[in-house]
Amino acid sequence: DSTELPISINELRQVKLKRFRKPGAIACGEPIYASEDYETYVDASDEIKADFCLTAKGDSMIGARIYDGDTVFIKKQPIVENDVTLKRWFYYPDKNQLWLQAENSKYKPMIYEGEDLNNIRCLGKAVCFTSNL
């Protein structure tokens, strides 16, 4: 005997899809090379306010519930040459320092200061992620 939950047709809505560029992977650990080939795409809800997405590689962001293989959606927000890593971003202008902090206690912060800051570029802000079950 199955129990069915009544759903009003007024409660249903169509999910509109948007195609997101997926240039490769984003490191959740040590930085990795980011390909500039945008040949792969992911279709996801158009309610995700992002410009592109990347596949998470590694375990440094598990404290934020982002696991290896998850798709992370990124909104462009300028503020790594070809190295890409997903971390919490802490900038201290008074010390001229940038700390990239993992969400896994087994990883130490990546600290950049002075001239090293010239080699860092933020590609954007992670705004959403999806996981495979």
Side-chain angles (χ1 to χ4, degrees):
D1 190 37
S2 65
T3 304
E4 292 185 29
L5 297 175
I7 297 177
S8 166
I9 196 73
N10 294 332
E11 295 173 30
L12 298 176
R13 64 183 172 92
Q14 181 179 6
V15 175
K16 295 179 184 175
L17 296 179
K18 176 180 174 182
R19 181 159 282 192
F20 294 91
R21 297 177 297 144
K22 188 175 183 183
I26 188 165
C28 293
E30 292 300 316
I32 59 174
Y33 178 77
S35 170
E36 289 297 323
D37 296 330
Y38 294 109
E39 295 180 17
T40 304
Y41 295 88
V42 169
D43 291 328
S45 170
D46 74 342
E47 292 181 7
I48 298 172
K49 304 302 179 204
D51 298 301
F52 62 98
C53 62
L54 297 164
T55 301
K57 294 291 181 196
D59 64 354
S60 74
M61 296 302 289
I62 61 175
R65 221 328 250 124
I66 299 172
Y67 295 100
D68 188 72
D70 287 352
T71 299
V72 180
F73 293 85
I74 310 292
K75 179 172 179 52
K76 288 182 185 175
Q77 184 173 311
I79 147 146
V80 197
E81 292 300 324
N82 287 330
D83 289 337
V84 179
T85 188
L86 179 63
K87 298 284 182 283
R88 296 227 182 248
W89 175 285
F90 298 99
Y91 179 59
Y92 303 100
D94 56 322
K95 297 179 182 178
N96 201 26
Q97 283 186 340
L98 172 66
W99 288 44
L100 301 180
Q101 180 68 51
E103 282 289 331
N104 183 335
S105 61
K106 81 177 195 180
Y107 293 96
K108 293 181 180 178
M110 303 164 100
I111 301 171
Y112 299 90
E113 56 190 341
E115 295 291 319
D116 291 340
L117 292 173
N118 295 329
N119 299 320
I120 301 293
R121 182 171 59 97
C122 178
L123 297 179
K125 178 180 181 178
V127 295
C128 182
F129 72 90
T130 60
S131 294
N132 295 325
L133 296 178

